Amino acid sequence: MENIIRIAVQKSGRLSEDSLRLIKECGIKFYNGTGKLKSTSTNFPIEFLYLRDDDIPGYVADGVADLGIVGENELVEKDKSVDVLKKLGFSKCRLSLAIPKSQDYPGLSYFEGKNIATSYTKILGDYLKKNKINAEIHEISGSVEIAPSIGLAEGICDIVSSGSTLMMNGLKEVEEIFKSEAVLISHKGLNDEKMAIVEKLLFRINAVQTGKSNKYVLLNAPNESLDKIISLIPGMRSPTILPLAEEGWSSVHSVLSEDLFWENIEELRAAGAEGILVVPIEKMVL
């Protein structure tokens, strides 16, 4: 099908939820009922394939899917030939080494000559080689945390989000070896027709993500303080200034990052700003 693109997304879990939420925020409508393995948008030329996360890089590399949303950890581990179009900023986690809580940890040398259980043999192997540590890697497809307690390994290497799973299994995190987040990947060599659709999708994603990272700020200020306030909230190009009914006062409207606003809030108030409103932006086109 030349006039439609296929995108592979994880069929369940946090990455799946975050991915589908982003696509829906882009105004793309589709039905993804429980158990469905494929669906098509009703208002955008895109078809969804719901797959295991570790299968997505291979499907995209082989051209079965044109695009995929996958964690960087799986992308690097599978080492498939694909293009990374965009880091998406969600589903962030880290790949870390962990050992039993009862063990002292002198540093990475702890793992010299020891056994490490993991599902990420490539990433771990590359890390150990880079740091000149000789350790035996045992590949486990699931329940990696149990390995030390059953005597299979002295440590593990696994994905960590909050660290609660490690704690529940009597382990402690000792080394972070890889940071991961969701990325949008594409098959190499998409034709011009499909690339045009991909560009439209990227335009929508950028608009949604830019909106999320910025806020619309409205405030009232005495006219004699406008120069100072404009310097604090400069906006994309410049703020909008509207006169209030009360003489000598104006309403200032601006767009800026939420962090920048909080950095300057005390200075804004000191300059006489009143009635400050901070409003979420759904989408923002630059």
Side-chain angles (χ1 to χ4, degrees), residues 56-65 80-82 186-188:
I56 291 175
Y59 272 70
V60 175
D62 293 341
V64 177
K80 299 294 185 180
S81 180
V82 299
S186 75
H187 176 66
K188 287 183 175 291

Side-chain angles (χ1 to χ4, degrees), residues 11 31 41 44 72 75 116 137 151 236:
K11 63 182 178 181
Y31 174 71
S41 170
F44 193 85
E72 283 180 285
L75 178 62
I116 308 173
I137 298 175
M236 291 183 294

Side-chain angles (χ1 to χ4, degrees), residues 30-283:
F30 59 96
Y31 174 71
N32 60 308
T34 304
K36 284 182 71 70
L37 298 178
K38 187 170 71 169
S39 65
T40 303
S41 170
T42 58
N43 67 342
F44 193 85
I46 191 168
E47 183 178 59
F48 300 87
L49 305 178
Y50 304 106
L51 308 172
R52 284 170 47 97
D53 59 342
D54 54 354
D55 288 335
I56 291 175
Y59 272 70
V60 175
D62 293 341
V64 177
D66 302 303
L67 302 176
I69 298 179
V70 67
E72 283 180 285
N73 55 304
E74 290 295 344
L75 178 62
V76 173
E77 182 64 26
K78 297 305 179 186
D79 196 24
K80 299 294 185 180
S81 180
V82 299
D83 289 330
V84 177
L85 298 182
K86 185 175 180 61
K87 291 192 174 187
L88 297 174
F90 57 77
S91 295
K92 292 184 177 182
C93 59
R94 59 193 182 273
L95 189 62
S96 295
L97 288 163
I99 64 173
K101 290 180 184 178
S102 59
Q103 296 293 313
D104 292 329
Y105 184 69
L108 200 55
S109 60
Y110 170 89
F111 294 100
E112 181 68 32
K114 290 188 171 62
N115 299 289
I116 308 173
T118 188
S119 302
Y120 297 93
T121 56
K122 180 186 183 305
I123 295 176
L124 176 58
D126 290 346
Y127 179 81
L128 294 176
K129 183 178 180 181
K130 177 183 175 182
N131 287 278
K132 297 180 173 56
I133 298 294
N134 294 308
E136 188 72 25
I137 298 175
H138 292 267
E139 183 173 8
I140 299 180
S141 59
S143 302
V144 175
E145 294 86 1
I146 198 174
S149 66
I150 62 174
L152 179 64
E154 288 84 10
I156 69 165
C157 178
D158 203 16
I159 289 295
V160 178
S161 292
S162 66
S164 58
T165 302
L166 293 179
M167 291 180 63
M168 287 188 295
N169 286 277
L171 302 173
K172 61 182 178 183
E173 183 179 4
V174 292
E175 297 283 347
E176 178 185 294
I177 73 169
F178 187 84
K179 287 185 177 180
S180 177
E181 66 181 87
V183 291
L184 179 67
I185 61 174
S186 75
H187 176 66
K188 287 183 175 291
L190 292 181
N191 62 39
D192 291 344
E193 190 173 25
K194 288 191 173 184
M195 278 305 303
I197 300 172
V198 172
E199 290 298 331
K200 289 180 181 179
L201 176 61
L202 282 171
F203 177 83
R204 295 191 183 199
I205 291 173
N206 289 333
V208 169
Q209 293 193 323
T210 303
K212 285 183 176 180
S213 62
N214 288 275
K215 294 292 183 287
Y216 191 67
V217 180
L218 306 87
L219 57 84
N220 298 328
N223 289 343
E224 62 267 20
S225 299
L226 287 179
D227 288 343
K228 173 64 173 176
I229 288 173
I230 289 172
S231 72
L232 294 171
I233 51 171
M236 291 183 294
R237 189 179 297 273
S238 66
T240 299
I241 310 295
L242 300 172
L244 294 181
E246 182 178 345
E247 189 174 346
W249 284 77
S250 295
S251 176
V252 181
H253 299 220
S254 187
V255 173
L256 70 163
S257 72
E258 190 172 23
D259 289 343
L260 183 60
F261 169 79
W262 285 114
E263 286 177 7
N264 295 331
I265 180 64
E266 294 304 328
E267 289 185 77
L268 286 169
R269 293 177 63 194
E274 297 179 358
I276 303 172
L277 298 178
V278 181
V279 183
I281 300 173
E282 184 175 310
K283 298 174 183 68

